Amino acid sequence: MTIDINTKTDFLGSSAANWELDRIVQELRSARNDWRNQRGRSREPGLRELPSRDALQNIIRDLCGALFPMRLGPQELREETEDYYVGHTLDAALNELLQQVQLELSYAARQQGSVVSEATQKHQAQQIVRLFASALPGLRRILDVDIQAAFQGDPAARSVDEVLLCYPGVLAIIHHRLAHSLYKLGVPLLARIVAELAHSLTGIDIHPGADIGSGFFIDHGTGVVIGETAVIGERVRIYQAVTLGAKTFPAEENGALKKGLPRHPIVEDDVVIYAGATVLGRITIGKGSTIGGNVWLTRSVPSGSSITQASSRNLFPQEAPV
């Protein structure tokens, strides 16, 4: 059923009495107004101002096709028309992204009580999208290293094409690389939506703020959580249900949590973290270390460490899951 939202008509019809829709619509309006009044947002703009999850889903689909045209592009694509497809697809995707960036900038300005001209916002949005577009070739090269790492790290993988088409960890890292680029360019809401699209599809939850080096491989992946301020080096491999999380959450005097503080682990190059491990706090996992399955770790470990449940109990007897 399609309703023209721009036309005020009696959409309740003769069945309204069966569902008491008049009363429900009025109560929903009252609930919306209460929420807006509590947050000082009693005067909403005439049109929806927030970015669209559906629009971003289409943008990311097109960007994936432009990055990997013969594997993630349309079935009928031929190599001789690759460049035309990539150019046409990028033009459409970036123009749509421009609109979404403008929406976030406008929303952010209103939230902060700033007065920014439409021309200034449009210029800022164009700069952001231009920089994002310029980063795509480098991002593709990093993703090639990620895909190769997945192929080499899984004996069940038959080809890099299988890895790209099938592996949830690869899908999640493609989304993350795109989301992280948006995050660094100052549109964190768009970045978070892109990250949550991947989370919904794969069960892998990577905050777009996490800084992840190349050659990153998530095997299986379900239940992986990587926090906003995590820093991950080169050639790191993690397995399902691994958490790189925060241990404590400092609060302001009024009880509100402090935002943006470094609170997630630093994982150096060539580390392997096996399934179910929980690594918490701003600690460092030294280069070349191995963290065994189901380990609970809240202390830094030096390079070359091999931490199992038994060794963890011996090294840090005071640590216990909470």
Side-chain angles (χ1 to χ4, degrees):
M1 178 181 180
T2 301
I3 297 174
D4 184 355
I5 60 173
N6 296 313
T7 303
K8 292 183 179 180
T9 60
D10 181 9
F11 61 91
L12 300 182
S14 60
S15 65
N18 295 335
W19 311 116
E20 297 184 328
L21 290 185
D22 286 324
R23 176 183 61 79
I24 294 170
V25 168
Q26 291 173 10
E27 290 180 1
L28 285 172
R29 183 196 310 127
S30 177
R32 291 195 306 273
N33 289 338
D34 288 346
W35 185 89
R36 289 167 181 165
N37 288 332
Q38 290 167 9
R39 288 158 180 80
R41 295 175 57 179
S42 56
R43 297 185 63 185
E44 291 282 351
L47 296 174
R48 171 184 168 133
E49 191 178 31
L50 288 167
S52 164
R53 183 184 175 101
D54 290 340
L56 281 165
Q57 189 168 32
N58 292 333
I59 291 166
I60 296 302
R61 180 201 62 208
D62 288 345
L63 289 174
C64 287
L67 287 168
F68 300 97
M70 296 303 293
R71 289 180 281 180
L72 300 182
Q75 185 175 351
E76 65 275 11
L77 184 64
R78 297 293 179 265
E79 191 170 347
E80 55 269 23
T81 59
E82 251 187 321
D83 284 346
Y84 174 80
Y85 163 76
V86 170
H88 176 77
T89 302
L90 280 178
D91 184 56
L94 294 172
N95 277 300
E96 181 60 37
L97 180 61
L98 177 64
Q99 294 182 32
Q100 299 303 310
V101 171
Q102 287 180 269
L103 285 171
E104 175 161 352
L105 294 179
S106 176
Y107 169 76
R110 189 164 66 86
Q111 290 291 96
Q112 296 164 8
S114 304
V115 178
V116 183
S117 70
E118 184 177 342
T120 298
Q121 283 186 352
K122 185 174 182 179
H123 178 72
Q124 290 174 342
Q126 288 172 336
Q127 287 293 97
I128 288 170
V129 175
R130 188 176 291 113
L131 290 170
F132 176 81
S134 296
L136 290 174
L139 189 148
R140 161 66 203 245
R141 293 185 183 278
I142 293 174
L143 287 170
D144 285 341
V145 180
D146 295 328
I147 292 165
Q148 185 65 27
F151 173 65
Q152 292 176 339
D154 185 0
R158 297 173 182 270
S159 68
V160 291
D161 299 309
E162 177 187 356
V163 166
L164 177 58
L165 291 172
C166 303
Y167 280 37
V170 170
L171 180 61
I173 196 62
I174 292 172
H175 278 69
H176 175 73
R177 302 277 185 215
L178 294 167
H180 186 62
S181 183
L182 292 170
Y183 183 89
K184 291 191 298 182
L185 289 169
V187 279
L189 180 56
L190 294 186
R192 191 62 187 268
I193 293 172
V194 172
E196 290 306 323
L197 289 172
H199 186 190
S200 298
L201 290 168
T202 65
I204 297 169
D205 182 1
I206 309 177
H207 193 285
D211 192 348
I212 301 178
S214 63
F216 183 57
F217 175 36
I218 304 174
D219 200 357
H220 302 294
T222 305
V224 163
V225 177
I226 300 175
E228 178 185 18
T229 63
V231 178
I232 299 175
E234 307 286 322
R235 300 172 301 279
V236 170
R237 184 165 81 248
I238 67 176
Y239 288 78
Q240 68 271 21
V242 165
T243 296
L244 302 180
K247 183 182 178 183
T248 58
F249 302 94
E252 305 281 1
E253 291 183 2
N254 62 3
L257 296 181
K258 293 182 179 179
K259 304 289 186 179
L261 296 176
R263 58 197 181 278
H264 300 101
I266 298 171
V267 179
E268 295 185 344
D269 298 348
D270 302 302
V271 168
V272 179
I273 306 178
Y274 284 100
T278 299
V279 184
L280 301 181
R282 194 61 165 184
I283 64 174
T284 298
I285 307 302
K287 181 177 180 179
S289 294
T290 299
I291 310 301
N294 298 311
V295 165
W296 178 277
L297 191 60
T298 60
R299 300 288 185 90
S300 294
V301 298
S303 299
S305 297
S306 180
I307 307 298
T308 64
Q309 283 186 305
S311 67
S312 179
R313 284 193 293 270
N314 292 333
L315 286 169
F316 314 120
Q318 70 274 36
E319 288 192 357
V322 294

